[in-house]
Amino acid sequence: MWYTEKQTADLGFSCRVKEMLLRVKSDFQEIAVMDTYQFGRMLVLDGMVQTTDADEYIYHEMITHVPMRTHPHPENVLVIGGGDGGAVREVAKYPQVRNITLVEIDAQVIDVCRRFFPQISAALTDSRVDVRIADGVEFVKGASNSYDLVIVDSTEPVGPAVELFGATFYSNIYKALKEDGILVAQTESPFFNVGLIQSVSRHIKRIFPLFHLYLAPVPTYPGGLWSFTIGSKKYSPLEPQGSYLPDEARYYTPLLHRSCFTLPRFVQELLTG
Ligand code: SAM
């Protein structure tokens, strides 16, 4: 049995499947979990791969350790989306963190990940973690001067995630951050989502004093090369100030932190285009 994600109208990504473990419809999306030969268990929402046992560490380490080590003392962290718990797991490795708020719109994603991805979702039971089932767009409207770091670990810009890539949402995050706070967002593929990266970069450059884009390879995502966007009020991610380094990281290293901001020319050009 093979599973194929239609990544674009003209491109499919296929995996041989050992077993389909779950296929349900929540109030927000279709949730599927399958056991694949190549990547182990795979979480698929509305036909799009979100995370797999084999490559999840790259995405989750890069969306967290880069901003966490940019900030000298991150204590309050907000994760929007991220119901699999992978970003929370990485943030929870930092002993100085006091509170991690996870705002996920779909309670069923959390339940499914607790059941099928225990190694990704394990930190959701950490006493510092507060799980809220809510729309991240609405949640940030009510917050001000509260967080050191906001991580937007969203699905692709479809359905309830569309507004998670919009200017109003980023302005509300700016308000929700403390005066030296940092925003990081997953911003899709530089091959297939040029327009999206350009619009996000325009918004972030207008709202935040510092804008940076960085890259990491994620084998199961369209094109295999993924982008993350940082908006920072004070600290430059090019000069990381954090002293603590989780020793369990498998992808992230301090040297890689510096090199991931070195962009290929086609990405530099799309940012100035
Ligand atoms: N790492 C993944 C990727 O890039 O494909 C994203 C993982 S995580 C599973 C994304 C989560 O965002 C989903 O569980 C989805 O339910 C949630 N989500 C989508 N829109 C949301 C919103 N407006 N507020 C909060 N969570 C949202």
Side-chain angles (χ1 to χ4, degrees):
M1 182 166 62
W2 286 76
Y3 164 75
T4 297
E5 172 182 337
K6 234 175 135 202
Q7 293 187 330
T8 74
D10 305 304
L11 174 68
F13 166 80
S14 295
C15 280
R16 196 154 74 87
V17 175
K18 269 187 209 170
E19 194 183 353
M20 181 61 92
L21 299 169
L22 178 88
R23 202 166 181 179
V24 290
K25 245 192 173 332
S26 74
D27 289 342
F28 298 95
Q29 51 213 338
E30 186 191 74
I31 306 174
V33 179
M34 53 197 91
D35 192 7
T36 67
Y37 283 93
Q38 192 68 59
F39 293 104
R41 288 187 177 178
M42 183 178 261
L43 174 70
V44 181
L45 298 180
D46 279 342
M48 288 169 275
V49 176
Q50 301 294 308
T51 200
T52 79
D53 280 344
D55 69 353
E56 59 88 7
Y57 66 97
I58 305 176
Y59 175 90
H60 291 130
E61 289 178 16
M62 289 303 280
I63 201 169
T64 54
H65 299 316
V66 173
M68 283 294 285
R69 299 196 70 253
T70 294
H71 198 293
H73 44 76
E75 291 184 347
N76 280 336
V77 179
L78 171 63
V79 180
I80 293 172
D84 49 64
V88 168
R89 178 194 65 198
E90 296 304 313
V91 174
K93 288 178 179 172
Y94 291 74
Q96 76 267 39
V97 167
R98 291 169 176 226
N99 299 296
I100 309 169
T101 305
L102 175 76
V103 179
E104 162 63 60
I105 204 166
D106 191 343
Q108 261 186 276
V109 171
I110 297 178
D111 293 344
V112 164
C113 291
R114 282 199 163 123
R115 188 167 150 214
F116 291 100
F117 297 91
Q119 79 294 1
I120 300 180
S121 60
L124 293 175
T125 52
D126 187 298
S127 59
R128 297 166 295 169
V129 178
D130 176 16
V131 177
R132 307 279 187 95
I133 304 304
D135 184 342
V137 173
E138 294 302 317
F139 186 88
V140 292
K141 282 182 187 164
S144 92
N145 197 23
S146 306
Y147 302 102
D148 301 302
L149 170 63
V150 176
I151 298 175
V152 184
D153 182 7
S154 67
T155 37
E156 291 64 20
V158 287
V162 170
E163 287 184 57
L164 299 181
F165 295 85
T168 309
F169 177 63
Y170 296 135
S171 295
N172 286 330
I173 289 180
Y174 185 91
K175 272 193 270 136
L177 286 167
K178 292 184 188 163
E179 63 188 19
D180 57 353
I182 300 172
L183 156 73
V184 67
Q186 75 87 359
T187 43
E188 309 279 310
S189 156
F191 288 108
F192 300 128
N193 307 98
V194 172
L196 177 113
I197 293 175
Q198 287 176 329
S199 103
V200 169
S201 76
R202 273 195 294 273
H203 299 324
I204 301 296
K205 282 176 184 165
R206 193 171 47 75
I207 297 166
F208 285 81
L210 297 171
F211 159 89
H212 286 278
L213 184 127
Y214 62 99
L215 300 172
V218 183
T220 52
Y221 287 175
L225 183 66
W226 215 241
S227 77
F228 302 85
T229 296
I230 281 188
S232 178
K233 290 191 179 182
K234 181 172 177 188
Y235 307 114
S236 168
L238 305 181
E239 286 153 28
Q241 311 212 15
S243 50
Y244 177 74
L245 174 65
D247 53 11
E248 299 144 53
R250 291 176 67 201
Y251 185 81
Y252 177 91
T253 70
L255 266 182
L256 194 117
H257 181 128
R258 290 172 189 277
S259 64
C260 69
F261 291 96
T262 305
L263 301 177
R265 181 166 287 167
F266 84 97
V267 180
Q268 288 176 21
E269 283 173 359
L270 81 82
L271 289 175
T272 51

